[in-house]
């Protein structure tokens, strides 16, 4: 089983602050995705990164895939209360088993 | 609206009872998946299907069965429910293996086994 470790597990910050969430593994992934989940709903895809070193921006969110394709980070600039939610990273392995493996998530709370 | 629909949204079962969770998608996706989500453990894959008439085991398949008789539907069955199966169950579908375009998830079924 390919494991993805996310840190921190919980994060509570004030509106306007910046934050970074990390997703690490000892395994290589062919692609890595970030999802956001709100209470009572399923995860919603934010971004997919497939190339080592790739950086993608989505408004105030910046996603980076590590050079070795084993880790990723999500950086939020000037967080807003609407950013509150559970952030999940998920990777598809480079091997034959093409299922998505999820990290345990980072619960972000942005206080007004 | 296009997407993944799960029924029911909530259910309470007694230990030993059986039930079927229904997942329907209208995006013509080949791949479909059942996950369970428990606090602090992320989402774990139960079973998946790469096409109509095919199913395969995921990470935590024991106590569950699945069927994919039609491309748009993926059923998850609990033969004899146990308290350890109390969880939130999510169905998802993807275009291909989801590597590029990700998964589309339903809104979940919250199951309590007492």
């Amino acid at each position: 089983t390919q494991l993805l470790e996310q840190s921190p597990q919980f994060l509570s910050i004030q509106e306007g602050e910046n934050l970074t969430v990390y997703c690490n593994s000892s395994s290589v992934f062919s692609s890595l995705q970030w999802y956001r989940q709100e209470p009572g709903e399923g995860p919603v895809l934010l971004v997919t990164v497939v190339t080592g070193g790739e950086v993608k921006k989505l408004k105030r969110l910046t996603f980076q895939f590590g050079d070795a394709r084993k880790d990723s980070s999500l950086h939020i600039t000037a967080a807003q209360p609407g950013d509150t939610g559970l952030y999940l990273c998920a990777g598809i392995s480079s091997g034959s088993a093409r299922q998505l493996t999820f990290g345990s998530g980072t619960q972000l709370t942005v206080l007004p | 609206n296009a997407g993944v629909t799960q029924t029911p949204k909530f259910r309470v079962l007694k230990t030993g009872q059986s039930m079927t969770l229904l997942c329907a998608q209208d995006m013509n996706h080949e791949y479909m998946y059942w996950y369970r989500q428990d606090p602090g453990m992320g989402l774990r894959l139960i079973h998946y299907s790469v096409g109509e008439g095919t199913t395969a085991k995921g990470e935590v398949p024991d106590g569950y069965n699945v069927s994919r008789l039609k491309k748009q539907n993926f059923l998850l069955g609990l033969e004899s429910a146990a308290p350890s199966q109390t969880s939130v169950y999510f169905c998802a579908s993807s275009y291909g293996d989801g590597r590029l375009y990700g998964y589309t998830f339903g809104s979940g079924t919250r199951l309590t086994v007492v």
Side-chain angles (χ1 to χ4, degrees):
Chain A
T1 303
Q2 315 243 332
L3 296 178
L4 277 168
E5 296 186 356
Q6 284 187 242
S7 62
Q9 187 176 359
F10 298 96
L11 187 56
S12 181
I13 61 171
Q14 292 293 134
E15 182 176 1
E17 293 183 351
N18 301 331
L19 68 112
T20 302
V21 175
Y22 300 93
C23 177
N24 295 293
S25 175
S26 59
S27 304
V28 175
F29 290 95
S30 62
S31 74
L32 198 139
Q33 299 168 357
W34 285 90
Y35 291 78
R36 179 165 166 259
Q37 184 179 18
E38 298 192 27
E41 298 296 328
V44 176
L45 180 68
L46 295 174
V47 75
T48 296
V49 286
V50 295
T51 305
E54 183 176 2
V55 177
K56 281 191 174 180
K57 292 191 175 184
L58 185 66
K59 297 183 180 179
R60 293 176 293 101
L61 279 61
T62 301
F63 305 86
Q64 185 163 5
F65 200 13
D67 291 340
R69 292 186 290 135
K70 293 182 178 180
D71 55 87
S72 181
S73 63
L74 158 61
H75 182 79
I76 301 179
T77 303
Q80 299 177 0
D83 295 327
T84 294
L86 179 66
Y87 289 82
L88 296 158
C89 67
I92 292 184
S93 69
S94 299
S96 59
R98 298 283 191 187
Q99 295 86 45
L100 205 58
T101 298
F102 281 85
S104 56
T106 294
Q107 180 63 53
L108 171 65
T109 303
V110 182
L111 303 170
Chain B
N1 293 334
V4 177
T5 302
Q6 291 184 235
T7 53
K9 293 189 180 300
F10 302 93
R11 185 73 184 269
V12 178
L13 284 180
K14 294 182 178 180
T15 298
Q17 287 184 321
S18 63
M19 77 163 294
T20 300
L21 282 68
L22 174 63
C23 176
Q25 54 95 3
D26 58 4
M27 297 170 286
N28 202 34
H29 284 170
E30 287 290 340
Y31 288 53
M32 296 187 74
Y33 315 83
W34 276 106
Y35 282 87
R36 60 177 289 174
Q37 185 174 36
D38 303 293
M41 302 186 73
L43 287 100
R44 293 181 292 168
L45 182 64
I46 304 171
H47 285 281
Y48 65 100
S49 168
V50 300
E52 181 179 322
T54 70
T55 64
K57 295 180 180 180
E59 182 185 353
V60 288
D62 294 341
Y64 305 95
N65 57 73
V66 288
S67 63
R68 182 103 181 266
L69 299 180
K70 293 183 178 181
K71 185 177 182 179
Q72 64 268 33
N73 296 334
F74 196 28
L75 279 62
L76 177 70
L78 282 72
E79 299 162 339
S80 179
S84 61
Q85 294 177 304
T86 293
S87 186
V88 182
Y89 291 85
F90 288 99
C91 176
S93 69
S94 67
Y95 176 76
D97 63 10
R99 192 180 341 168
L100 295 179
Y101 303 110
Y103 289 13
T104 300
F105 283 85
S107 58
T109 295
R110 183 174 294 275
L111 175 67
T112 302
V113 182
V114 298

